[in-house]
């Protein structure tokens, strides 16, 4: 779950201040600012400029780590962040992490300050959409004018931010509709926010209508991208490909279209096309770690070892201070290094995990799994078996709702050791626990294909998914016929085989709620429901059914308190 700022400038405080902003002489004063720069003189200069504009609430950070720590504590209205922050995170990585962890609100303004204008920097920063750039040098009047425009553009979004944070998406959309109807200057900004909320809350028909309405007036890349995402999410991959291809043709530097185009080709099992698109994307903007990671993974399946090595090298290099840093990139780089060069060089890559991850069990797992294969290839059988045992023990200790990637990783390693039965069991478990996760199913299909496994041995993915669906269907039918105890018993038995399956956990919670709504509130049952819902919340906190069930549970909890 993203961490929310908890300091004195909470959302409520900011909303109150915004409502009373008319008591202040101007729009800049009543805001909380964060200035991030590794040069003390520059921090002081920007602070003095802001104070000359009447701003009094200013915090300072010397580097990316301090900036993130401060954003974890307080919700800033305006962040002025230098791109080059010396050792550690740069400005792009600060923005990347702030967005990933929801440390910036809808009404917050992030300005990238820079003296650099290299293509990699510009393209990398553009991808995470800062609200503006300030090129050094600049003076107080220029800063004031720029901030006034940006704040006006984000004015009065706090009430929407509050609804989104409470996952009350219908309220957020209603507020947006009211604002859009007034046709303010930032109408398209509001439509863009509304589209994102509709997509994220699964209201794809409404989202499509919104994007088509915008596109009927004007061709805007974000609206076309939204339309393509809707096609992708309803599994109309060819239409999605057409939409993303159209954006790419009209806006050759709009890299989000490349990423979604590659994902769509991947889902359509067009891996050569996906790899080619990603190669084009990294040539435009090479710093995005997830893009390099996906290119490496697809190149591995396509047996393009040199491309995979290059991509994983960059994923490790650019990821070192990124929120997207992941040990699987180190493990994959080590494997491909062993294939392209030698085992000793590959083991050196794995040693870097010790330096870049601090006692992280997941990192230890990936390190041990890759190490076992490299030692086996080098003829170090005892070391290989020891590493494999360590990886297996670590994988068993992980929460099944979070470790599907580790299960697939270990299945690949088992297969390379000739342990097909163990490999198949892990893949079956991943399918049973995640039968509705289409991207994970793709990953498993790719694994089966790349390991040249017989899909019949595994039992087809579709038949395993059908098994889950049948059990769920039976439980739902029992519940609909009023046999709630029988439904709960069947679904709980199903859950013992697939404890992380979201659909099963949600259905158990639903049946138990129906039972309490019929028989009366029961404290023990409430605790039981909380447990099932917590399993879903851990993996999918924005699940719309989860939120509805939490609402019904809240009503029952209130009754036990009476």
């Amino acid at each position: 779950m993203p961490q929310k700022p908890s300091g004195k400038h909470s959302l409520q405080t900011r909303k109150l201040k915004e409502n009373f902003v008319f008591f202040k002489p101007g729009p800049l004063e009543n805001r909380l600012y964060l200035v991030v720069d590794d040069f003390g003189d520059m921090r002081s200069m920007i602070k003095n400029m802001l104070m000359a504009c009447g701003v009094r609430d200013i915090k300072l950070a010397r580097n990316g780590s301090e900036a993130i720590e401060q954003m974890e504590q307080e919700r800033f209205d305006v962040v002025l962040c230098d791109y080059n922050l010396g050792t550690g995170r740069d400005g792009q990585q600060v923005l990347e992490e702030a967005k990933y962890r929801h440390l910036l609100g809808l009404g917050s303004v992030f300005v990238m300050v820079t003296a650099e204008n290299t293509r990699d920097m510009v393209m990398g920063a553009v991808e995470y959409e800062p609200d503006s750039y300030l090129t050094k040098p600049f003076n107080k009047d220029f800063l004031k004018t720029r901030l006034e425009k940006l704040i006006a553009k984000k004015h009065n979004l706090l009430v929407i931010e509050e609804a989104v944070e409470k996952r009350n998406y219908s309220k957020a959309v209603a507020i947006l509709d009211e604002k859009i109807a007034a046709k303010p200057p930032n109408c398209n900004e509001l439509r863009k926010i509304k589209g994102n909320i509709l997509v994220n809350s699964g209201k794809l028909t409404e989202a499509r209508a919104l994007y088509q309405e915008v596109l009927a007036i004007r061709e805007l890349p974000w609206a076309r991208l939204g339309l393509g995402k809707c096609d992708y999410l309803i599994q109309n991959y060819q239409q999605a490909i057409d939409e993303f291809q159209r954006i790419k043709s009209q806006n050759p530097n709009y890299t989000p279209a490349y990423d979604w185009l590659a994902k769509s080709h991947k889902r359509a099992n067009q891996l050569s096309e996906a790899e080619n698109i990603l190669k084009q994307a990294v040539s435009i903007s090479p710093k995005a770690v997830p893009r390099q990671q996906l290119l490496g993974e697809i190149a591995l399946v396509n047996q393009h070892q040199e491309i995979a090595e290059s991509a994983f090298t960059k994923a490790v290099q650019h990821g070192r201070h990124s929120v997207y840093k992941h040990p699987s990139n180190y493990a994959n780089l080590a494997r491909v290094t062993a294939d392209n060069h030698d085992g000793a060089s590959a083991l050196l890559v794995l040693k870097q995990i010790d330096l870049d991850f601090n006692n992280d069990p997941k990192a230890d797992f990936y390190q041990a799994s890759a190490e076992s294969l490299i030692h086996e290839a080098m003829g170090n059988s005892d070391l290989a078996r020891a590493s494999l045992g360590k990886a297996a023990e670590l994988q068993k200790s992980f929460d099944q709702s979070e470790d599907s990637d580790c299960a697939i990783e270990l299945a690949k390693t088992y297969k390379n050791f000739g342990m097909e039965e163990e490999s198949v069991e892990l893949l079956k478990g991943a399918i049973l626990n995640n039968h509705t996760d289409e991207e994970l199913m793709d990953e498993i299909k790719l694994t089966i294909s790349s390991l040249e496994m017989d899909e019949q041995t595994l039992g087809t993915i579709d038949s395993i998914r059908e098994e889950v669906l049948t059990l769920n269907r039976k439980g739902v039918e029992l519940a609909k016929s009023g046999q709630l105890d029988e439904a709960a018993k069947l679904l709980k038995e199903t859950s013992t085989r697939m404890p992380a399956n979201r659909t099963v956990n949600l259905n158990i919670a639903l049946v138990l709620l129906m039972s309490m709504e019929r028989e009366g509130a029961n404290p023990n049952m409430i605790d039981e429901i909380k447990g099932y819902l917590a399993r879903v919340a851990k993996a999918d906190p924005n699940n719309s059914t989860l939120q509805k069930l939490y609402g019904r549970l809240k009503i029952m909890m209130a009754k036990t308190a009476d």
Side-chain angles (χ1 to χ4, degrees):
M1 288 282 289
Q3 296 176 31
K4 294 177 182 176
S6 56
K8 65 179 182 178
H9 284 81
S10 65
L11 183 62
Q12 289 299 326
T13 307
R14 293 169 60 224
K15 187 179 168 189
L16 189 65
K17 289 170 74 177
E18 184 178 84
N19 288 339
F20 286 89
V21 70
F22 54 81
F23 287 118
K24 300 292 181 182
L28 268 61
E29 293 87 333
N30 201 39
R31 315 272 167 181
L32 176 63
Y33 291 73
L34 176 63
V35 176
V36 190
D37 201 300
D38 56 330
F39 285 104
D41 289 348
M42 195 65 197
R43 289 195 302 275
S44 298
M45 188 183 81
I46 296 176
K47 180 180 178 182
N48 289 337
M49 285 184 190
L50 291 171
M51 291 180 73
C53 296
V55 176
R56 291 293 175 267
D57 226 345
I58 307 167
K59 300 291 177 68
L60 303 175
R62 294 173 298 178
N63 51 49
S65 295
E66 284 188 4
I68 292 295
E69 284 170 14
Q70 296 218 39
M71 282 193 268
E72 286 172 347
Q73 296 303 315
E74 299 188 276
R75 186 77 92 185
F76 288 91
D77 298 300
V78 181
V79 179
L80 294 160
C81 182
D82 194 60
Y83 178 81
N84 192 343
L85 297 174
T87 305
R89 296 176 184 87
D90 59 27
Q92 176 195 325
Q93 290 164 334
V94 170
L95 176 58
E96 174 188 79
E97 184 163 346
K99 290 212 168 187
Y100 179 84
R101 295 177 55 195
H102 301 269
L103 299 177
L104 290 170
L106 287 173
S108 301
V109 170
F110 190 102
V111 179
M112 192 73 77
V113 181
T114 179
E116 296 190 34
N117 58 3
T118 64
R119 180 181 174 85
D120 286 0
M121 185 286 290
V122 172
M123 291 308 301
V126 163
E127 289 204 56
Y128 292 95
E129 299 182 351
D131 294 289
S132 187
Y133 298 90
L134 276 176
T135 304
K136 299 174 184 173
F138 53 85
N139 59 32
K140 184 211 57 164
D141 291 336
F142 185 84
L143 176 64
K144 182 172 183 287
T145 303
R146 180 68 61 88
L147 288 178
E148 283 176 346
K149 286 182 181 174
L150 291 168
I151 288 170
K153 188 178 172 187
K154 297 289 188 85
H155 176 64
N156 208 17
L157 292 180
L158 289 182
V159 64
I160 302 165
E161 184 180 326
E162 183 183 35
V164 170
E165 285 206 347
K166 290 179 178 176
R167 298 193 175 92
N168 191 344
Y169 301 120
S170 56
K171 181 178 178 183
V173 168
I175 296 168
L176 281 161
D177 282 340
E178 189 178 329
K179 290 181 181 296
I180 291 168
K183 298 182 179 175
N186 64 341
C187 201
N188 274 337
E189 178 77 15
L190 299 177
R191 287 191 175 109
K192 186 176 177 183
I193 293 170
K194 180 182 172 183
N196 286 334
I197 292 172
L198 290 172
V199 170
N200 292 335
S201 58
K203 297 187 180 303
L204 299 181
T205 303
E206 294 172 47
R208 279 185 66 85
L210 170 73
Y211 292 131
Q212 286 169 335
E213 182 184 317
V214 172
L215 290 167
I217 301 169
R218 186 180 169 193
E219 183 66 35
L220 292 170
W222 63 261
R224 183 69 61 190
L225 189 77
L227 195 59
K229 284 183 189 178
C230 292
D231 289 322
Y232 176 90
L233 291 170
I234 61 174
Q235 302 183 29
N236 189 350
Y237 300 122
Q238 188 52 56
Q239 186 62 37
I241 287 169
D242 291 345
E243 299 292 359
F244 299 134
Q245 188 66 53
R246 182 170 172 176
I247 305 171
K248 177 175 169 289
S249 302
Q250 295 174 343
N251 305 273
N253 289 329
Y254 193 69
T255 49
Y258 289 72
D259 293 331
W260 281 95
L261 182 55
K263 284 176 69 171
S264 303
H265 278 306
K266 184 185 173 196
R267 292 301 307 275
N269 202 26
Q270 299 165 351
L271 296 185
S272 295
E273 289 85 348
E275 183 181 328
N276 285 334
I277 292 297
L278 288 167
K279 281 161 60 181
Q280 292 172 38
V282 299
S283 71
I284 297 168
S285 178
K287 289 192 67 177
V289 176
R291 180 177 304 137
Q292 294 284 5
Q293 179 175 342
L294 184 58
L295 173 58
E297 290 168 351
I298 291 176
L300 270 186
V301 176
N302 290 340
Q303 299 185 339
H304 295 157
Q305 301 294 91
E306 289 186 5
I307 293 169
E309 182 177 355
S310 170
F312 287 125
T313 298
K314 286 169 185 163
V316 168
Q317 177 190 336
H318 295 311
R320 195 152 283 139
H321 302 293
S322 165
V323 71
Y324 292 110
K325 179 173 74 173
H326 199 282
S328 67
N329 290 326
Y330 293 68
N332 280 325
L333 178 58
R335 284 196 199 91
V336 79
T337 299
D339 290 343
N340 292 351
H341 306 286
D342 57 75
S345 302
L347 292 174
L348 286 176
V349 172
L350 288 178
K351 280 193 178 299
Q352 192 65 34
I353 288 182
D354 294 328
L355 300 175
D356 290 351
F357 295 85
N358 186 22
N359 295 323
D360 180 341
K362 290 282 172 66
D364 292 343
F365 163 79
Y366 278 100
Q367 185 183 45
S369 178
E371 214 168 49
S372 67
L373 292 173
I374 294 163
H375 278 309
E376 183 72 3
M378 294 172 74
N380 304 326
S381 297
D382 290 346
L383 290 173
R385 290 285 162 180
S387 295
L388 181 62
K390 180 180 177 182
E393 284 303 311
L394 284 165
Q395 193 273 333
K396 279 182 196 168
S397 70
F398 297 152
D399 187 330
Q400 290 194 45
S401 65
E402 297 177 334
D403 87 328
S404 294
D405 289 341
C406 294
I408 294 171
E409 168 73 14
L410 188 57
K412 292 177 187 172
T413 305
Y414 276 149
K415 179 67 171 61
N416 279 291
F417 274 86
M419 301 165 67
E420 185 139 343
E421 189 178 336
E422 289 85 348
S423 178
V424 167
E425 280 307 306
L426 283 169
L427 292 176
K428 275 185 177 176
I431 296 169
L432 286 169
N433 280 309
N434 303 278
H435 76 289
T436 58
D437 187 335
E438 297 296 339
E439 291 192 5
L440 190 72
M441 294 304 109
D442 278 354
E443 185 64 32
I444 291 172
K445 285 178 186 173
L446 279 180
T447 300
I448 291 169
S449 170
S450 66
L451 296 179
E452 298 178 349
M453 293 175 76
D454 179 0
E455 199 171 307
Q456 293 302 318
T457 304
L458 178 65
T460 64
I461 290 176
D462 289 341
S463 72
I464 296 173
R465 297 174 81 179
E466 184 56 36
E467 179 189 349
V468 184
L469 289 170
T470 301
L471 288 167
N472 258 310
R473 207 178 294 128
K474 200 176 285 184
V476 171
E477 285 169 1
L478 285 169
K480 281 183 177 174
S481 67
Q483 301 176 72
L484 297 180
D485 291 343
E486 291 80 357
K489 184 181 176 189
L490 175 69
L491 290 167
K492 285 179 185 177
E493 286 171 0
T494 305
S495 174
T496 59
R497 288 185 58 212
M498 47 193 91
N501 188 295
R502 294 173 210 175
T503 308
V504 173
N505 286 314
L506 288 171
N507 280 339
I508 298 172
L510 174 61
V511 169
L512 295 178
L513 274 166
M514 290 167 70
S515 180
M516 280 201 299
E517 286 162 356
R518 188 172 70 181
E519 307 291 340
N522 176 327
N524 292 332
M525 205 173 277
I526 285 174
D527 288 341
E528 205 176 353
I529 293 168
K530 283 181 182 174
Y532 289 114
L533 294 183
R535 290 180 184 179
V536 180
K538 188 180 285 187
D540 188 10
N542 292 323
N543 186 296
S544 56
T545 305
L546 174 73
Q547 300 309 320
K548 287 175 187 169
L549 294 182
Y550 268 132
R552 288 169 71 167
L553 179 63
K554 196 173 174 183
I555 293 170
M556 298 312 297
M557 289 169 66
K559 289 185 178 178
T560 60
D562 289 341

